[in-house]
Amino acid sequence: NFFSAHPADGRAIVLSFSYSSFGNLKYSLTEFPSSVIKTCKKMGIQTVAVHSDVDSNAVHVKMADEAVCVGPAPTSKSYLNMDAIMDAIRLTGAQAVHPGYGFLSENKDFAKRLAAVGVTFIGPDTHAIQAMGDKIESKLIAKAAKVNTIPGFDGVVKTAEDAVKIAQQIGYPVMIKASAGGGGKGMRIAWNDEETREGFRFSSQEAASSFGDDRLLIEKYIDNPRHIEIQVLADKHGNVLWLNERECSIQRRNQKVVEEAPSMFLDADTRRVMGEQAVQLAKAVKYSSAGTVEFLVDSKKNFYFLEMNTRLQVEHPVTECITGLDLVEQMIRIAKGYQLQQKQEDIPINGWAIESRVYAEDPFKSFGLPSIGRLSQYQEPLKLSHVRVDSGIEEGSDINIYYDPMISKLVTYGATRAEALARMEDALDNYVIRGVTHNIPLLREIITHPRFVSGDISTNFLPEVYPEGFKGHHLDEDRCRELLASAAALHVTSQLYSHKILGTQRVSSAPMDQNNWELCNLFQQSHSFDFRSDVKFMNGLCLSLQVKVDGGQVEVCGDWNLASPLLPLTINGTCRMLQCLSKESSGNIVLQYMGTLFKVRVLSKLTAKLNSYMPEKVSEDTSSILRSPMPGTVVAMSVKPGDTVADGQEICVIEAMKMQNSLTAVKQAKVKSVHCQPGETVGEGDLLVELE
């Protein structure tokens, strides 16, 4: 029996080995268990999913042969609740556990408890988990194994003041990070003493919340590096392989956003040396299973050991694409005691694979603050060739505040990097997600940006490319014409369909001559455009429109299915995939174009003239109030009514999806009132504090 938890977070999984073959096994996993469950079904293994009460209708629960609820929504009471999971193992007679991507996946105590009752852990032995799961110990072992390491303090940092002293000795900037766990949780970069004190506080709190271990370490921060990792695979007979590298440099808040395999940056010799050092480290701890050795690589291709993840990585699909290996199948075989079937010379690099992490996040807020809601419409781009989607949600699923906001891992593959990138662009344009804010606008901008396309990237890519924050796709004059022409064409087509079906136009001022429309387009509240459209009919349907925009002419052709969320158009001979998110009788249209949402209003000339007399809504003065930028839980409230706060002073801390966010004052002011308390749940836009 294999237990699986929530689709977006690594949680405990239990797998049952019955005989010497895999025919009667049961298997279940955690984070995006759909792909693992598919592998289990291929191997004839039955699955059992563990879940919290809010996940009772989750996709992995429906896919598994059995399911067991292990507690309420908070992770400490469910997916981190070892007692509940051990009870589920006894209840189902499970014989093995696969831990997924996070939570208990690198918890040595959990692995020991399984071993004590004769249950197989689908992962490395407990001594390897302990050695590599502790970043302090792993660094010492790496040094002894002659693996390149980053200068730093080889011990546990106990207090904030100790952290400041150590940081001063190492020299700024420094990286403060959790000794246990990974995934960007409990990590902060500090450039001075004050940031070190603040980083120590937040990192220890996040580490305790995510991993149940608040120990921290400090090491030199390698400025502007690449993050490149080596996938290793080791059996219980001393055989270890390195399965090439993954480029994971595109990150925000130390969490990966876009990954690819192989890396454009590495040459064959550097790749080989990195792979050999990864194998040396795995052998030093007698590693068995799939694992990942992460390195930071500078501009001169010097590389330094960062950490070893003793679990299956979120980004493992890109390695599977270029090597042809199913890593989940390999993990199961290794746990059963089989030897690796491959030799190092058998490991290829066939083609190129790219993975985009699709999150329920608002990319316009710090490159991605969590969003919650119900997926009112959801359609994966699986009709496209060479596209893979690993997800744990479906239409109707809820994205809540308790777990990681990842919706899916979108993977494309091609014979070349250019081919894989082109397919990723198409896949993002064809991905339909409604009901939550998502990061597809950012993902599309990343994979089409000239720096990314040329391979000029580092872990500082996002702040360097978008120093003022992400603003969405910038429309040049031609692209702006395309957008406005598409909106006008959609408006005209909708009116004509309405006339064809109902016998009347919705708008009384629509012209009697259906081949000529004079329209005005209000865009971004500062531009007005005139349109004159020549409409062509084919078999009674409007398919082609000539739109005059600002003196330029745009031809818009398409199969106008107004019921479909996707709007495939040919604009001046170029194929574009747009999405229409909403279209109102008032003329308001929301289009997704080049990945970004644009709000356009199409009106007749008379309506536009009358609209100019309407008063504009006065914007709220946000300098005197603090609203929550995301849904979450109030962890700390640092002020009370009557306090005076300085510009930049912390007011409160909001925890959302396992990350803590400090909210600060934007000016010196006096606290007028406080509208929330620690422990309360708040929604996006909720009023927290008023200033005066």
Side-chain angles (χ1 to χ4, degrees):
N1 295 328
F2 214 4
F3 281 93
S4 163
H6 187 267
D9 290 294
R11 308 191 176 112
I13 302 173
V14 184
L15 172 61
S16 170
F17 292 134
S18 298
Y19 302 104
S20 59
S21 69
F22 292 110
N24 295 318
L25 297 184
K26 290 184 179 179
Y27 175 94
S28 153
L29 54 139
T30 101
E31 203 157 356
F32 296 128
S34 56
S35 60
V36 182
I37 291 177
K38 288 176 184 177
T39 295
C40 291
K41 290 183 182 296
K42 180 180 70 174
M43 298 176 71
I45 300 172
Q46 292 181 298
T47 58
V48 180
V50 295
H51 62 89
S52 65
D53 55 7
V54 296
D55 285 337
S56 57
N57 292 316
V59 171
H60 71 290
V61 173
K62 297 176 182 178
M63 289 183 66
D65 297 291
E66 300 176 56
V68 178
C69 182
V70 291
T75 56
S76 61
K77 299 178 180 179
S78 54
Y79 298 117
L80 284 173
N81 188 342
M82 292 189 217
D83 291 337
I85 294 172
M86 295 302 294
D87 288 342
I89 294 170
R90 285 189 288 270
L91 175 66
T92 58
Q95 294 169 279
V97 175
H98 190 298
Y101 301 150
F103 287 145
L104 297 178
S105 63
E106 296 176 285
N107 189 299
K108 64 182 184 299
D109 295 327
F110 181 58
K112 287 178 180 178
R113 289 186 66 170
L114 294 176
V117 294
V119 176
T120 300
F121 181 77
I122 309 300
D125 294 334
T126 55
H127 72 273
I129 297 175
Q130 179 171 346
M132 293 294 98
D134 187 313
K135 292 183 175 66
I136 298 170
E137 185 178 353
S138 67
K139 187 173 180 180
L140 296 175
I141 294 173
K143 282 184 178 180
K146 300 189 184 306
V147 177
N148 303 344
T149 58
I150 302 173
F153 177 68
D154 298 329
V156 177
V157 184
K158 297 181 179 180
T159 68
E161 291 309 312
D162 286 343
V164 170
K165 292 177 182 178
I166 293 168
Q168 291 173 347
Q169 292 171 0
I170 295 173
Y172 288 109
V174 297
M175 172 68 80
I176 305 168
K177 59 184 181 181
S179 177
K185 305 295 190 301
M187 297 179 68
R188 291 290 192 282
I189 300 169
W191 295 81
N192 54 50
D193 292 354
E194 188 57 37
E195 289 184 4
T196 300
R197 292 186 182 92
E198 184 179 85
F200 179 90
R201 178 164 66 97
F202 284 126
S203 292
S204 58
Q205 290 173 355
E206 286 179 4
S209 174
S210 297
F211 317 118
D213 185 345
D214 63 357
R215 292 177 304 143
L216 301 177
L217 62 87
I218 298 181
E219 60 189 16
K220 181 69 177 177
Y221 174 63
I222 307 299
D223 196 15
N224 212 38
R226 287 175 179 259
H227 183 131
I228 300 177
E229 60 191 29
I230 301 292
Q231 176 72 57
V232 296
L233 195 62
D235 62 24
K236 297 179 182 297
H237 305 276
N239 302 304
V240 185
L241 303 175
W242 53 275
L243 309 183
N244 303 309
E245 79 280 4
R246 293 187 290 257
E247 173 75 71
C248 307
S249 297
I250 305 299
Q251 303 180 4
R252 55 97 178 90
R253 298 191 299 277
N254 300 309
Q255 290 181 305
K256 302 161 190 172
V257 178
V258 177
E259 303 101 342
E260 61 182 305
S263 168
M264 286 185 68
F265 188 63
L266 296 189
D267 54 61
D269 288 340
T270 307
R271 176 180 296 115
R272 176 184 54 77
V273 175
M274 291 178 70
E276 289 173 351
Q277 287 200 13
V279 168
Q280 289 168 205
L281 182 60
K283 288 184 175 180
V285 293
K286 299 180 181 178
Y287 196 86
S288 62
S289 192
T292 300
V293 181
E294 300 189 349
F295 294 95
L296 292 180
V297 185
D298 67 20
S299 59
K300 297 180 180 179
K301 298 184 182 178
N302 299 309
F303 58 90
Y304 306 93
F305 171 71
L306 184 62
E307 63 183 6
M308 183 176 189
N309 289 308
T310 58
R311 55 174 168 82
L312 190 67
Q313 290 282 85
V314 172
E315 59 273 17
H316 77 274
V318 294
T319 296
E320 293 183 333
C321 287
I322 68 167
T323 62
L325 295 176
D326 184 331
L327 294 185
V328 175
E329 180 180 353
Q330 294 298 321
M331 292 178 74
I332 296 172
R333 287 180 54 84
I334 291 168
K336 186 61 180 173
Y338 290 107
Q339 291 192 44
L340 293 174
Q341 297 171 306
Q342 300 81 17
K343 303 294 184 184
Q344 189 61 56
E345 56 268 21
D346 299 327
I347 306 303
I349 298 181
N350 290 329
W352 215 285
I354 298 173
E355 175 180 288
S356 292
R357 298 193 185 193
V358 181
Y359 284 102
E361 291 182 338
D362 186 346
F364 299 93
K365 297 178 179 178
S366 302
F367 300 113
L369 292 183
S371 169
I372 63 172
R374 175 165 293 178
L375 290 167
S376 57
Q377 197 168 15
Y378 183 73
Q379 182 177 308
E380 296 172 349
L382 294 175
K383 292 183 179 179
L384 303 178
S385 63
H386 297 87
V387 172
R388 168 177 169 175
V389 183
D390 286 4
S391 68
I393 49 88
E394 60 186 354
E395 193 165 288
S397 292
D398 287 316
I399 307 295
N400 55 50
I401 65 172
Y402 297 107
Y403 310 123
D404 193 280
M406 189 185 294
I407 293 174
S408 72
K409 301 179 292 182
L410 177 63
V411 183
T412 56
Y413 173 79
T416 64
R417 187 173 187 264
E419 194 173 88
L421 281 173
R423 286 175 172 154
M424 180 60 72
E425 186 177 342
D426 287 343
L428 291 169
D429 285 343
N430 280 270
Y431 207 147
V432 178
I433 303 172
R434 305 281 191 273
V436 297
T437 305
H438 54 77
N439 68 330
I440 283 179
L442 176 61
L443 294 172
R444 196 185 188 283
E445 287 300 295
I446 290 172
I447 61 111
T448 58
H449 194 279
R451 273 190 57 178
F452 182 84
V453 173
S454 68
D456 178 18
I457 60 176
S458 73
T459 55
N460 293 326
F461 177 86
L462 289 178
E464 287 177 357
V465 173
Y466 308 106
E468 303 300 321
F470 179 66
K471 306 297 183 183
H473 183 75
H474 174 71
L475 294 174
D476 59 24
E477 188 174 333
D478 290 338
R479 299 292 86 77
C480 188
R481 283 200 185 101
E482 285 189 8
L483 171 66
L484 299 176
S486 299
L490 180 62
H491 173 82
V492 169
T493 304
S494 177
Q495 295 294 323
L496 293 175
Y497 272 151
S498 176
H499 177 70
K500 183 178 179 63
I501 296 171
L502 302 177
T504 182
Q505 287 98 353
R506 293 182 181 180
V507 182
S508 60
S509 58
M512 296 301 295
D513 180 5
Q514 295 181 352
N515 284 307
N516 291 282
W517 299 66
E518 289 190 356
L519 303 172
C520 188
N521 191 301
L522 304 180
F523 179 56
Q524 296 179 342
Q525 299 181 341
S526 58
H527 301 285
S528 180
F529 298 87
D530 291 331
F531 292 83
R532 183 176 298 276
S533 304
D534 297 319
V535 183
K536 296 180 182 178
F537 290 90
M538 299 180 184
N539 300 323
L541 298 176
C542 172
L543 291 178
S544 177
L545 300 96
Q546 297 288 333
V547 185
K548 291 183 178 179
V549 187
D550 272 357
Q553 187 159 296
V554 181
E555 182 179 20
V556 183
C557 306
D559 182 9
W560 299 89
N561 181 358
L562 300 182
S564 172
L566 297 174
L567 197 61
L569 301 177
T570 301
I571 305 175
N572 284 343
T574 301
C575 294
R576 304 280 192 201
M577 180 61 74
L578 282 72
Q579 297 187 31
C580 179
L581 278 74
S582 66
K583 192 180 74 63
E584 301 171 355
S585 58
S586 62
N588 290 321
I589 298 174
V590 178
L591 289 176
Q592 181 174 307
Y593 172 71
M594 299 292 198
T596 297
L597 299 186
F598 293 97
K599 297 179 181 179
V600 183
R601 193 175 188 189
V602 181
L603 304 170
S604 68
K605 276 198 166 184
L606 174 60
T607 305
K609 182 177 180 181
L610 296 174
N611 184 75
S612 66
Y613 296 106
M614 297 294 289
E616 293 186 7
K617 182 179 179 180
V618 179
S619 299
E620 183 179 41
D621 179 12
T622 57
S623 65
S624 297
I625 59 173
L626 179 66
R627 294 187 180 275
S628 178
M630 75 209 85
T633 302
V634 179
V635 175
M637 177 57 66
S638 306
V639 299
K640 62 183 183 298
D643 287 353
T644 299
V645 295
D647 183 8
Q649 181 179 333
E650 178 181 288
I651 293 180
C652 64
V653 177
I654 303 293
E655 183 175 68
M657 298 176 179
K658 302 187 294 183
M659 295 293 286
Q660 294 194 357
N661 303 272
S662 175
L663 306 185
T664 60
V666 297
K667 67 177 183 179
Q668 182 172 335
K670 186 177 181 180
V671 178
K672 179 181 179 182
S673 58
V674 175
H675 295 266
C676 62
Q677 298 298 325
E680 290 184 3
T681 299
V682 295
E684 181 179 356
D686 283 1
L687 181 61
L688 304 177
V689 173
E690 289 184 89
L691 304 174
E692 61 181 1

